[in-house]
Amino acid sequence: MRNVRMTLVAASVLVLGPAVGPAAAQNARALLQAADNAIGASKVNSIQYTGTGRISYLGQNFTTTDDWPRVDLKSWSQTFDYGGKSAKEEMVRVQGNNPARGGGAGFPITGEQRSTTLVSGNYAWTLNAQGQPQAQNDQAELRQFMIWVTPHGFIKAALADPNATMTDREFIGAGRTLRVVGFTTMGKYKATGEFNAQNMLERVVTWIPNPVMGDMQVEIRYTDWRDVGNGIKAPFHAHMHQGDHPLVRGMNYMDVQASDVKANIESASLTVPDAVRSAAAPRVTIQTTKLADGAWLIGGGSHNSVAVEFKDFAVIVEAPLDDARTDAVIAETKRLIPGKQIRYVVNTHHHWDHSGGLRAAAAEGATIVTNELNKDFYERVLLVPQPRSLGPDRLSQFPFATTGPGPGKLETYRERHAITDGDQSIVSYHVDGFNHAGDMAIVYLPKSKILISADMGPPAAGTPVANVSPSSVALYNNIKRLKLEVSQHVPIHGNPSSNADFERTVGPAAARARPAGPEGGN
Ligand SMILES: [Zn+2]
């Protein structure tokens, strides 16, 4: 027991600074009450921000150290109903002048991309193009937490935590001392807030769970405070980082400037649609198709993997999404290829939806094959052994000792990597001239002439030339450059298709496409 207690104390010192104990709690309370008076937080039942700005696609950067790919918010509005624990966010995204480099659903944007995301207590949903609700209840907890890091929400939630603490923090260089309050809400989420001499909340630093980043740091800076009536003040400008890590200076996620802020509006409360209330929890589904002798497509979800049998071991191509998905892929591979160790997991690229299961691969003891561009990030961020308190996974719960023997190592390459036993082979090739990801690989199985690709199409057979994407043209050009003899295309998203169809559909588009410029423009 003593040991357990010591560990807990040490952990909270790390998070909240040295000022723990009853005095710190009293100081926190006094500061929070002064902060409440300063902005009228207790008087705010609901608040609506409307404006413009920019937002980024998290985990979809060109390389691991680039900033997130960014688009403009032609319009943005966010409504919080604190009593109802509900929030609604509406956005219209446009590409603007932002470089078309990186990934993300619908990126780069042609025209306008509209989205509405909602949360009410334990229910979360979005609206489809027809305005019908689509349940996203697995995201309710996180969306609800984000209500408590808004300025008024922060003060409400911190006042509700009897164990909230405070510490003075000297910002050397800036020449100022701020007071930092830390609190816990919803049983597990911690947040800290920096208050200035006028008791105004300048910045929130918090953590949210993420399969790649672990307890992922989120920073929100609130500025341009203005009176919005009835003794209530609100920040008209917010700047948010998500996913900052030791190898970069900062990862910009969102920057919004309000043109209008209204407190205590009539229509803030949300009604949970029946379809959302009764929606079943999403579960991991596995659907296996044999592709060739010793090669299986493991589908059933948004991302496929491929299991390949070698004489003495098994290999998985792609460990997507998260622990849950990849653990299911690992279990299916063991069923398909019994009694053989999964020696390698081949990664197509670093985007989080394609690398979120690499920790499960490491926990399994597999060697991860990836482009050398990812080496530092994978070794020093993705695979690091520090605790993941908000979203524990297999590797954090059953870590390897740092003194070894370690997990399967990383094998990196610049242009080409091969795994072979003389009969079966898997060859990863770096993809040239592709704006989506600088580390992108296509993965070729010479024996069965299968080519595995991610985020490059192929388009449906018969797609008109004008609608063939630059990504599919890049795939075509790389197949020609590498002189690969392909019979079957196996995409990470969607269904396998023949190379004959690919030639017919993409060939004319590739012939038409002009050579790419320095940005590979499209
Ligand atoms: Zn991608």
Side-chain angles (χ1 to χ4, degrees), residues 59-60 102-104 349-354 434 436-437 440 454-455 493:
Q60 298 289 332
H349 65 305
H350 73 284
H351 288 170
W352 289 0
D353 56 323
H354 294 262
F434 188 38
H436 183 89
M440 182 62 85
D455 301 346
H493 303 287

Side-chain angles (χ1 to χ4, degrees), residues 64-363:
T64 57
T65 50
D66 284 302
D67 201 356
W68 307 133
R70 178 185 292 180
V71 295
D72 289 348
L73 289 172
K74 185 180 165 189
S75 72
W76 161 79
S77 99
Q78 225 171 354
T79 308
F80 301 97
D81 173 19
Y82 294 108
K85 296 177 181 173
S86 73
K88 177 179 184 177
E89 185 168 49
E90 292 174 284
M91 296 182 188
V92 178
R93 295 173 167 95
V94 293
Q95 187 63 31
N97 293 321
N98 302 289
R101 219 163 81 129
F107 181 89
I109 297 171
T110 316
E112 294 182 348
Q113 191 183 72
R114 287 166 185 275
S115 69
T116 307
T117 52
L118 308 101
V119 60
S120 181
N122 297 326
Y123 300 98
W125 66 103
T126 185
L127 301 179
N128 68 10
Q130 290 72 44
Q132 294 155 334
Q134 309 291 306
Q136 297 178 325
N137 293 333
D138 55 336
Q139 290 175 44
E141 187 180 282
L142 193 54
R143 283 190 199 159
Q144 193 194 131
F145 170 63
M146 294 308 281
I147 296 172
W148 307 120
V149 292
T150 63
H152 307 96
F154 184 100
I155 291 168
K156 287 172 189 284
L159 279 169
D161 177 7
N163 298 315
T165 52
M166 193 192 87
T167 185
D168 287 338
R169 167 81 50 82
E170 237 184 292
F171 286 80
I172 300 160
R176 21 187 343 225
T177 301
L178 296 173
R179 289 155 302 160
V180 189
V181 170
F183 72 92
T184 304
T185 188
M186 299 169 64
K188 73 176 194 188
Y189 291 95
K190 292 186 168 70
T192 67
E194 296 167 4
F195 291 84
N196 64 21
Q198 289 73 47
N199 306 314
M200 303 292 285
L201 179 61
E202 290 194 354
R203 178 157 65 173
V204 173
V205 176
T206 185
W207 301 265
I208 60 178
N210 179 274
V212 168
M213 300 296 295
D215 296 348
M216 178 171 76
Q217 189 164 306
V218 175
E219 174 186 336
I220 315 170
R221 287 177 228 153
Y222 295 118
T223 50
D224 193 9
W225 287 85
R226 300 185 204 172
D227 269 307
V228 296
N230 193 29
I232 297 167
K233 286 192 174 72
F236 275 56
H237 183 246
H239 181 79
M240 191 192 298
H241 281 211
Q242 285 198 17
D244 288 349
H245 60 80
L247 308 179
V248 295
R249 283 183 71 86
M251 303 298 271
N252 292 286
Y253 177 62
M254 197 171 177
D255 189 285
V256 280
Q257 178 67 48
S259 49
D260 189 29
V261 180
K262 288 191 176 75
N264 298 328
I265 58 166
E266 297 274 316
S267 56
S269 77
L270 297 176
T271 306
V272 179
D274 288 341
V276 173
R277 203 175 279 276
S278 61
R283 51 189 203 91
V284 176
T285 313
I286 292 290
Q287 242 170 46
T288 297
T289 316
K290 187 166 180 179
L291 295 167
D293 272 351
W296 295 265
L297 176 73
I298 303 178
S302 59
H303 293 63
N304 301 325
S305 299
V306 175
V308 183
E309 182 167 15
F310 285 73
K311 214 178 294 161
D312 302 318
F313 55 88
V315 177
I316 294 172
V317 180
E318 208 74 320
L321 297 176
D322 53 21
D323 234 43
R325 176 75 204 170
T326 294
D327 277 341
V329 170
I330 288 170
E332 178 67 356
T333 302
K334 287 178 172 172
R335 189 186 72 79
L336 294 164
I337 309 170
K340 291 187 185 174
Q341 182 210 9
I342 298 166
R343 195 170 291 176
Y344 297 94
V345 170
V346 176
N347 168 231
T348 61
H349 65 305
H350 73 284
H351 288 170
W352 289 0
D353 56 323
H354 294 262
S355 63
L358 288 178
R359 287 176 56 84

Side-chain angles (χ1 to χ4, degrees), residues 424-468:
Q424 185 69 272
S425 308
I426 294 180
V427 190
S428 303
Y429 293 100
H430 175 247
V431 172
D432 272 358
F434 188 38
N435 274 339
H436 183 89
D439 61 313
M440 182 62 85
I442 46 178
V443 182
Y444 184 56
L445 276 56
K447 188 181 171 188
S448 46
K449 300 185 170 54
I450 286 170
L451 186 67
I452 303 162
S453 64
D455 301 346
M456 304 187 83
T463 298
V465 178
N467 296 357
V468 172

Side-chain angles (χ1 to χ4, degrees), residues 386-513:
Q386 71 245 19
R388 299 193 158 214
S389 61
L390 296 169
D393 60 16
R394 188 149 65 112
L395 190 56
S396 68
Q397 287 170 307
F398 301 95
F400 292 93
T402 41
T403 52
K409 55 192 183 312
L410 220 57
E411 276 187 24
T412 61
Y413 62 92
R414 181 174 300 203
E415 293 298 335
R416 182 184 184 276
H417 177 280
I419 301 166
T420 186
D421 63 7
D423 176 39
Q424 185 69 272
S425 308
I426 294 180
V427 190
S428 303
Y429 293 100
H430 175 247
V431 172
D432 272 358
F434 188 38
N435 274 339
H436 183 89
D439 61 313
M440 182 62 85
I442 46 178
V443 182
Y444 184 56
L445 276 56
K447 188 181 171 188
S448 46
K449 300 185 170 54
I450 286 170
L451 186 67
I452 303 162
S453 64
D455 301 346
M456 304 187 83
T463 298
V465 178
N467 296 357
V468 172
S469 73
S471 308
S472 294
V473 171
L475 177 57
Y476 185 94
N477 290 340
N478 277 278
I479 292 170
K480 299 298 169 194
R481 175 179 66 88
L482 297 163
K483 301 183 170 62
L484 301 180
E485 200 187 316
V486 177
S487 69
Q488 193 179 14
H489 287 265
V490 177
I492 297 298
H493 303 287
N495 298 317
S497 56
S498 76
N499 191 59
D501 279 343
F502 182 75
E503 281 285 349
R504 267 194 296 274
T505 310
V506 186
R512 257 199 204 186

